[in-house]
Amino acid sequence: MSKIQVTQPTFLINLDNPTEVSYVPMEGNWKSIIVETYQHGFPEIQDDEILYVYKENRGYIKKQVMTNTLDKQYQDLLQTILDFGCTKSDRTGTGTKSIFGYTIRHNMKNGFPLLTTKKMAFKTMVTELLWFLRGDTNIKYLVDNNCHIWDGDAFKNYISKTNEFKGDWPDTMEEFINKIKTDDGFAKKYGELGSIYGKQWRRWTKKKMYLSTDGSYENIYDEADQTVIDQIAILINELKTNPDSRRLMVSAWNVGELDQMVLPPCHYGFQVYTRELSYDEKRNIYNSDPMSYGGTASPLPPNSEEIKFDPHHAEKDWDNNYASKKIPTRAISLMWNQRSVDTLLGLPFNIASYGLLLTIIAKEVNMVPDELIGNLGDTHLYLNHIEQAKEQIGREPFELPNLVIEHSSLEPVELVYKLENYQSHPAIKAPLSN
């Protein structure tokens, strides 16, 4: 094997002979290690330094391993519900198999969390999230952007208010949606869904309480004197000024307004958590695309340096030389809580939506997306989704796609993105229960 220049201790695997592993303790010096070959080809060496493999005359090659564990977690959840779920009635009249309490975890460095075992309507999910972030609660924006997730709830709400009317009033959902599209006055009145997600995220209303004459707070409110709280703006400010806070939370569960919602929030709140990136993590972020941070080199192998520092002062030198390049210094994770989980139709959207929200927030505060965690309560399969779940369980996952955010803004809400390398199995059709 010929020599390669490296500046950090590195393991290199010879693809022509997977049992031959060379350890490079310093630039240009090689130490050969022979290891046991495992059934699937590459020797299993548990060390963070194994980042690249080497093939004669081909240079560095990324080690090819399946990093998509998300689809497998999801398939395991489907199987768990089928095996252990109890049959329950529900408000829709469909019936479910249900379990209580489940957690899904995904490391964002392994790809964007968009399931590959069925084709996902990614643009629909993006539209709904942007609708939330706009603080909007009327389906007009969704309908105009060909997103029909909330059509059934809006139509059901409309029927409950107008079932005594006849004549020219729409009496099918198709007619209702068409009138939402074409009649702004009708949409303003009957497209409204109440105090749901967008209202709570961006316009939570706080009523001021006043002292009575005897010094008590006995429900003396001035209805006209209210404060509007933008939870998203507060979260962004806190992340920039106090990133280690344990109060980095957003809630959609406003108990005082649940009766004003067409549907109480299923995913009712989320919390974010940040940590400082290590010196190696910051360096490798720069190495992945030096030119984006003012460097002159093309992408570099992990753990190499465009500027070589004294190893005894490497982190201090990094801070002195690269602090002005706006390289992220912290990683951010997001955990959402969900009381009710439509596992076949809803959960794949929830995972991707919160993955996108994490990515948008991370870009807004110049951090790196880290872990995405979902805490699930009543986690169910509708009884008319059983066969579809079995079909999805039997599919082999592909690698996860990559999401590139070219531009994003939370004020005004804007998003320009590219979804790259998304390969999936065909969509699985199933009825939606409202």
Side-chain angles (χ1 to χ4, degrees):
M1 187 182 289
S2 60
K3 292 183 178 180
I4 329 171
Q5 287 191 340
V6 296
T7 58
Q8 294 292 319
T10 306
F11 281 106
L12 302 176
I13 301 171
N14 185 346
L15 294 185
D16 294 326
N17 180 7
T19 64
E20 180 184 331
V21 177
S22 295
Y23 177 64
V24 189
M26 62 186 68
E27 185 172 335
N29 296 325
W30 295 76
K31 178 180 177 182
S32 181
I33 302 172
I34 306 299
V35 300
E36 180 181 353
T37 301
Y38 285 76
Q39 182 177 0
H40 297 294
F42 289 108
E44 293 185 3
I45 301 176
Q46 299 300 319
D47 195 302
D48 290 341
E49 292 173 301
I50 304 180
L51 298 169
Y52 275 58
V53 296
Y54 180 76
K55 186 171 177 65
E56 191 75 23
N57 299 322
R58 289 176 61 190
Y60 283 103
I61 303 172
K62 286 184 179 180
K63 183 177 177 182
Q64 297 299 309
V65 294
M66 174 64 78
T67 57
N68 178 7
T69 62
L70 180 65
D71 273 281
K72 181 63 166 60
Q73 289 185 69
Y74 178 75
Q75 290 170 317
D76 287 347
L77 171 56
L78 292 176
Q79 191 64 59
T80 298
I81 296 172
L82 292 176
D83 291 344
F84 303 107
C86 59
T87 302
K88 296 186 68 174
S89 60
D90 71 287
R91 66 173 177 83
T92 72
T94 308
T96 67
K97 284 182 72 72
S98 170
I99 62 172
F100 184 61
Y102 205 89
T103 299
I104 285 181
R105 303 183 76 102
H106 172 68
N107 193 316
M108 295 292 287
K109 72 180 180 182
N110 292 332
F112 185 78
L114 190 65
L115 295 185
T116 68
T117 43
K118 69 177 179 183
K119 185 173 180 60
M120 295 286 297
F122 185 71
K123 289 183 180 179
T124 298
M125 179 278 296
V126 172
T127 299
E128 185 195 39
L129 178 61
L130 296 181
W131 182 61
F132 291 160
L133 290 171
R134 284 162 51 96
D136 203 343
T137 56
N138 192 296
I139 65 164
K140 172 69 172 170
Y141 173 86
L142 299 179
V143 170
D144 287 348
N145 287 277
N146 199 32
C147 176
H148 298 284
I149 298 174
W150 288 85
D151 287 4
D153 292 296
F155 182 62
K156 185 177 179 180
N157 185 51
Y158 159 76
I159 290 296
S160 71
K161 293 179 177 178
T162 62
N163 57 9
E164 71 274 20
F165 295 114
K166 306 294 181 184
D168 293 335
W169 290 85
D171 56 12
T172 68
M173 188 157 71
E174 183 179 359
E175 292 173 345
F176 171 74
I177 296 303
N178 186 60
K179 198 164 181 65
I180 292 287
K181 285 182 181 179
T182 58
D183 186 332
D184 288 347
F186 180 87
K188 184 176 181 180
K189 183 173 183 179
Y190 294 109
E192 182 58 47
L193 301 178
S195 299
I196 61 170
Y197 299 98
K199 163 70 161 56
Q200 306 306 334
W201 284 15
R202 305 306 303 258
R203 296 181 288 113
W204 182 294
T205 302
K206 174 185 176 182
K207 297 177 181 178
K208 291 186 178 180
M209 185 180 292
Y210 294 91
L211 283 169
S212 64
T213 54
D214 64 359
S216 67
Y217 286 98
E218 295 180 359
N219 296 325
I220 300 176
Y221 295 106
D222 182 348
E223 292 291 342
D225 193 0
Q226 299 179 343
T227 302
V228 175
I229 300 172
D230 186 340
Q231 293 190 80
I232 298 296
I234 291 171
L235 175 67
I236 298 301
N237 183 66
E238 283 293 294
L239 284 168
K240 291 178 178 179
T241 59
N242 188 18
D244 285 322
S245 172
R246 295 189 291 268
R247 302 175 183 181
L248 303 172
M249 301 175 66
V250 170
S251 177
W253 194 263
N254 187 336
V255 177
E257 296 185 356
L258 292 179
D259 61 352
Q260 301 171 33
M261 307 176 188
V262 295
L263 184 69
C266 295
H267 42 101
Y268 58 87
F270 67 90
Q271 179 178 359
V272 297
Y273 171 95
T274 79
R275 63 175 178 86
E276 291 188 0
L277 292 169
S278 69
Y279 162 61
D280 285 340
E281 286 175 314
K282 288 184 287 188
R283 181 182 57 184
N284 287 332
I285 289 169
Y286 176 84
N287 286 348
S288 67
D289 190 8
M291 297 184 71
S292 291
Y293 299 106
T296 59
S298 56
L300 302 168
N303 299 325
S304 62
E305 301 282 12
E306 185 180 8
I307 301 174
K308 293 182 173 60
F309 298 137
D310 178 343
H312 299 294
H313 305 286
E315 189 148 10
K316 181 179 179 182
D317 287 346
W318 174 276
D319 291 338
N320 290 339
N321 285 274
Y322 285 174
S324 64
K325 296 182 182 295
K326 296 185 178 180
I327 298 167
T329 60
R330 299 185 78 93
I332 180 170
S333 297
L334 183 150
M335 177 175 68
W336 86 90
N337 295 301
Q338 190 160 345
R339 64 171 181 87
S340 177
V341 186
D342 177 350
T343 307
L344 188 80
L345 294 181
L347 181 57
F349 269 73
N350 302 137
I351 294 170
S353 182
Y354 278 106
L356 178 58
L357 179 61
L358 172 57
T359 305
I360 291 171
I361 292 173
K363 188 171 180 64
E364 186 77 14
V365 297
N366 194 32
M367 296 184 188
V368 178
D370 201 5
E371 279 200 295
L372 177 68
I373 304 158
N375 288 328
L376 313 178
D378 185 323
T379 309
H380 49 266
L381 281 169
Y382 284 102
L383 296 181
N384 54 5
H385 292 174
I386 301 299
E387 294 307 313
Q388 293 93 327
K390 291 177 180 178
E391 179 181 355
Q392 192 163 356
I393 289 170
R395 293 177 171 182
E396 192 67 27
F398 298 102
E399 283 289 5
L400 293 175
N402 183 45
L403 181 69
V404 178
I405 302 293
E406 297 180 334
H407 167 74
S408 67
S409 169
L410 290 172
E411 197 59 53
V413 175
E414 297 173 342
L415 181 67
V416 181
Y417 67 89
K418 287 193 300 187
L419 183 67
E420 299 177 335
N421 303 318
Y422 181 49
Q423 184 179 7
S424 73
H425 291 270
I428 296 177
K429 294 183 181 292
L432 177 66
S433 294
N434 290 119

